[in-house]
Amino acid sequence: LKSCDASDAMTRMTPSPDLPGQEYAAMADFEKHVAQRGDRRLFPVRVLDSILDDHVLLLEHVDAKPLSQMLLGASRARGGRVTASLSETMHRAGVLLRNFHEQPSSPNRQARGTTKDDFLAWIDMAGRLASQHPYGERVFQAHGPRLMELADQLLPTDLPIAPIHDDFAPRNVLVDPSQRVGIIDALEQWQISSDYLRTVFPTECTA
């Protein structure tokens, strides 16, 4: 290992398509999905192998930096500002997440949150967590009951489902020199369809 460049060694490895690990499967699925979409704003991160019982993934080396670095540079504490370039990158991160939600079904994922009762239980749990902080409690008291009412009235018993990332944070969004965005650390589960929720609870969204 000392005699070779680690990133070069990683890019020369042969992918292993039959590994059972969920994170490997999630990364491989999304790599294929992004490649098929052909959106020039996005790039797929190629997963090469999984070791140590799927606790460590080997990914293809890419010339990119995490979005968290860009946000840190624009922070008020550092005297930064939100540039047009950063705004466009944030928009592309939203496009990336939407593409993740729109993946087709796969046997690699487990189902959860598939009913209206599950969704109502999550709202109740959020309320109990919010009650631990005075400000959070006030916000939930102002909006929680209405959200519960709308969900109970409008959601069907069985909910349409779509994959979520589970850890969509700036540190897991990569930005290359061409301002394309990619994603890592994808251990997704099934979740409520984002498209369906936009229909039931209309909000402004990226496209």
Side-chain angles (χ1 to χ4, degrees), residues 31-188:
E31 173 197 342
K32 183 184 300 183
H33 181 75
V34 170
Q36 290 174 344
R37 285 296 179 93
D39 191 326
R40 295 184 179 182
R41 297 170 294 183
L42 314 178
F43 70 87
V45 178
R46 185 171 175 236
V47 59
L48 302 172
D49 209 340
S50 174
I51 59 177
L52 301 179
D53 297 325
D54 200 42
H55 286 92
V56 176
L57 291 184
L58 299 181
L59 306 176
E60 181 178 33
H61 173 73
V62 293
D63 181 17
K65 60 183 179 181
L67 178 58
S68 55
Q69 287 187 13
M70 299 178 64
L71 294 175
L72 184 62
S75 67
R76 291 183 180 180
R78 295 197 172 194
R81 61 187 181 87
V82 178
T83 63
S85 176
L86 179 57
S87 294
E88 174 61 22
T89 299
M90 295 297 293
H91 174 79
R92 294 184 178 197
V95 172
L96 180 70
L97 182 59
R98 180 167 184 172
N99 271 266
F100 201 93
H101 291 325
E102 291 175 344
Q103 290 181 90
S105 60
S106 168
N108 296 324
R109 306 184 185 104
Q110 299 176 356
R112 72 175 187 184
T114 60
T115 69
K116 177 170 66 174
D117 287 342
D118 290 334
F119 188 73
L120 294 173
W122 288 337
I123 298 175
D124 180 68
M125 180 179 65
R128 285 186 277 111
L129 291 174
S131 67
Q132 299 176 17
H133 190 280
Y135 177 75
E137 185 175 25
R138 290 196 300 271
V139 170
F140 187 81
Q141 287 177 349
H143 303 287
R146 178 57 176 163
L147 180 58
M148 290 280 283
E149 180 184 359
L150 287 173
D152 190 41
Q153 290 177 357
L154 301 176
L155 293 179
T157 301
D158 297 314
L159 301 175
I161 49 179
I164 61 171
H165 182 273
D166 267 6
D167 192 16
F168 190 75
R171 65 180 178 276
N172 290 327
V173 177
L174 302 180
V175 185
D176 76 2
S178 300
Q179 211 175 356
R180 298 183 307 160
V181 293
I183 203 169
I184 58 173
D185 199 18
L187 181 57
E188 87 274 40

